[in-house]
Amino acid sequence: MTNRINPIAIIRNLVAALLLSAGLAVAQAQPPAHYEPTIESLNRHPLPQWYADAKLGIFVHWGLYSVPGWAPLVHPDHDFTHPDYIKNNPYAEWYLNVLRIDGSPTQAYHREHYGADYDYYNFATVFDKEIQKWNPDEWAKVFHDAGAKYVVLTTKHHDGFTLWPSSTPNPKLPADRQHATRDLVGELTKAVNGAGLRMGLYYSGGYDWTFVPGPIKAASDYEKVQPQSEAYGKYADAHVRELIQRYRPAVLWNDINYPKSGHPLELMAEYYNAIPDGVIDDRFGVKHSDFKSPEYQTLDKISPTKWEECRGLGRSFGYNRAEGEAETIAPDELIYLLVDIVSKNGNLLLDVGPEADGTIPPVQMSRLVALGTWLNQNGEAIYGTRPWHRADGETADGIRVRFTQKDSALYATLLGQPKAGAVTIKSLTPKAGTEIYMLGESKPLTWSQQGSSINVTLPGSLPGQYAYVLKIAGPVSGE
């Protein structure tokens, strides 16, 4: 092998890596012994190592909306500001809102299948019957085998129906339509923890259509429909406090906003004092969070602060019976998405939308199996890694490459199958004598330096599918 080292490039890359490391360590300041309900105190909470290392979580949207389980197959790019997005919302969990918009496809579907006068909350009886078939241990195994390290369940979505028997009754709903008859939150928490995963809980603090019904018909309604009454603030506070005390979630994932009549800073301090290694998302409407939460959006560069993309396997979070192969992310694109997110200091919170009885649709199961199979072979390049000084690269024949690092190893993941018996990665200079492996193979590969690029001879038969990882076991420089 011939290897030419560029000392200037090495120094430049070392400086970049140190700056990135400093940025990633900002949240690692000494945590206080006791958190106070102030931004200053809360911002001293360090990002827990488990969350930084986890990379993959499973989101579960499940509730009354899972009974009709329908939304129109439109807006695949989730262009939220489009003029007709609200009327044609592809999120099935927004069924209650959209069925009340005259002329909407969801309203037409509801009238055809249930009748114009059928009340949405009548689905509670059906849902309670169907959930008797659900086995939480089966879900926990599926999520574990998919490679996830944590799970986040919707405890209350915008419709106000809860998946646990809260001790704080909803003053707007009849007693038999307020919550699931099984403690779905408690049962799944036990099963998930038993499978070695961490359990997080989602709560819709910003919307509750039992308090302010709406519907949301225009963009100007998004804020108007957020309940701000003193009664709702007390109600939401009591719910979140109950979730913390009863279930001790590893992730506290609020949505939309939090009522100004509530006390989010107090809840955050109580949460950290009870669960010091918990994490909080950025949707409480205050200037504190452990991570950012873009929705169906991926960053284009490395972020020094932690982020987590949430998205469904299809276009909806909740179960949509109309979705099939065409609307579901392909296995290769799913794997590329995860690798890309991790290379930029992110996690992927990947949503499944189960049917009312807990059945995960086959098209979604197939993606979870493919992802788990790939991670079983290549997880070394994902779990516990950190960004390199740059996220992306390219081969000479145009295959995209994403970089991650752990200890002294650099991982170069090829987002596609090379067409030849060797691959050339541009702008990469390993130290002379460095060994390069392909994950899934035990023997080191032959490589040579060609200018600023490396040429690697690949195994005769590539292991696995979709994306292929080269482990470079030693110091590397690159533009």
Side-chain angles (χ1 to χ4, degrees), residues 62-69 92 95 120-128 159-163 173 177-180 356:
W62 195 29
L64 299 188
Y65 45 82
S66 306
V67 176
Y95 187 94
Y120 173 84
Y121 292 97
N122 288 343
F123 290 135
T125 302
V126 182
F127 185 71
D128 280 330
D159 60 7
F161 185 84
T162 71
L163 300 194
L173 288 174
R177 298 185 182 190
Q178 295 185 17
H179 60 76

Side-chain angles (χ1 to χ4, degrees), residues 36 56 102 196 253 256 271 309-310 359 397 400 440:
E36 300 295 335
L56 178 63
D102 288 340
W253 216 105
I256 305 296
Y271 175 65
E309 177 179 348
C310 62
T359 299
D397 55 354
R400 293 175 295 153

Side-chain angles (χ1 to χ4, degrees), residues 81-96:
T81 60
H82 193 282
D84 75 349
Y85 184 90
I86 296 173
K87 186 175 182 178
N88 296 275
N89 196 325
Y91 286 174
E93 64 275 15
W94 278 66
Y95 187 94
L96 172 58

Side-chain angles (χ1 to χ4, degrees), residues 261-278:
S261 54
H263 301 84
L265 299 186
E266 285 84 347
L267 293 171
M268 290 177 173
E270 290 176 26
Y271 175 65
Y272 287 149
N273 288 327
I275 307 159
D277 64 346

Side-chain angles (χ1 to χ4, degrees), residues 343-370:
S343 75
K344 297 168 182 172
N345 197 34
N347 285 10
L348 172 60
L349 185 60
L350 183 66
D351 182 80
V352 298
E355 299 177 32
D357 67 357
T359 299
I360 299 173
V363 67
Q364 295 188 17
M365 276 295 301
S366 69
R367 302 314 194 256
L368 296 178
V369 170

Side-chain angles (χ1 to χ4, degrees), residues 300-318:
D300 58 4
K301 60 182 179 181
I302 297 171
S303 170
T305 56
K306 193 65 181 176
W307 61 286
E308 173 191 84
E309 177 179 348
C310 62
R311 62 152 293 154
L313 281 161
R315 299 176 190 175
S316 174
F317 284 94

Side-chain angles (χ1 to χ4, degrees), residues 206-223:
Y207 289 145
D208 190 315
W209 296 327
T210 67
F211 279 80
V212 180
I216 296 167
K217 296 182 179 180
S220 59
D221 296 330
Y222 282 129
E223 189 169 345

